Amino acid sequence: DAGMKALCRWPKIKALVIAENSSNPTPITEAGFTALGELKTLESLHLQGFEHVAEGGWAALRRLKRLRRLKLFSVPAFDLMDAVGPLASLEALSLLNCNSVGPAGLRHLQAMARLRTLSIHVNSYRPYHVPLAEVGDLRDLTALTLGGIERMSDADLGRLGGLAGLESLAIHEAPRVTDQGIAGLAGLGALRALSLQTVP
């Protein structure tokens, strides 16, 4: 925690990547993590680990009013995005193996009016929520990547049919999706790039 507080003192930093060492005998807690909120000039942030930060500590990211790109790789016991809450300035969000994110956390994405790029990858060997109902309501998305969501069905995929502005779509490891499900994407008239890997 003392190290995090010392680290987060740059007055003009714009991009930061911190990957916590899981074998660290003294993991970062809320006391140190909240120092991230002092990096007022930060525009890009990639965090990996920090499972020992309490739910309330993640709200520190809401103080980053210039944050445009956020990548999270963390598996705490609570809904990570519900703890983070809405980030009004965010344009791109990547959730990697964030299996704890469920409907409550995903609903915050609707309040992120600038969000255009979304990437969600889950660990298919752990419990997870299929996020298509919530993602299908994000009508301003232009780029979407979904990975590891092996329980995704044709009906789930059909929820993306209303994303009229979607220009790029990548779906990886979705073995339940069939030709019928893919055909349901024909109405995405703005689509320019498509990547499909429907086998695990």
Side-chain angles (χ1 to χ4, degrees), residues 74-200:
S74 185
V75 285
F78 48 83
D79 187 325
L80 183 59
M81 284 308 301
D82 197 30
V84 170
L87 302 172
S89 61
L90 208 63
E91 298 173 4
L93 173 64
S94 181
L95 301 174
L96 304 175
N97 285 19
C98 295
N99 286 40
S100 66
V101 176
L106 291 168
R107 279 195 288 270
H108 288 302
L109 302 187
Q110 289 204 38
M112 302 184 193
R114 297 184 182 180
L115 189 66
R116 297 294 180 270
T117 301
L118 177 63
S119 179
I120 300 177
H121 290 256
V122 302
N123 182 334
S124 60
Y125 294 101
R126 296 179 179 178
Y128 62 87
H129 168 70
V130 177
L132 275 293
E134 296 83 5
V135 171
D137 289 333
L138 303 176
R139 301 306 172 96
D140 292 325
L141 283 183
T142 58
L144 175 63
T145 299
L146 301 170
I149 308 175
E150 295 187 358
R151 299 197 337 257
M152 185 193 311
S153 66
D154 287 342
D156 292 324
L157 189 60
R159 295 177 180 272
L160 302 182
L163 302 181
L166 202 62
E167 299 176 3
S168 175
L169 175 62
I171 299 174
H172 301 150
E173 299 176 53
R176 296 188 183 185
V177 171
T178 69
D179 290 349
Q180 182 179 355
I182 301 301
L185 301 176
L188 300 179
L191 206 60
R192 298 293 178 266
L194 179 63
S195 175
L196 298 174
Q197 180 200 343
T198 56
V199 294

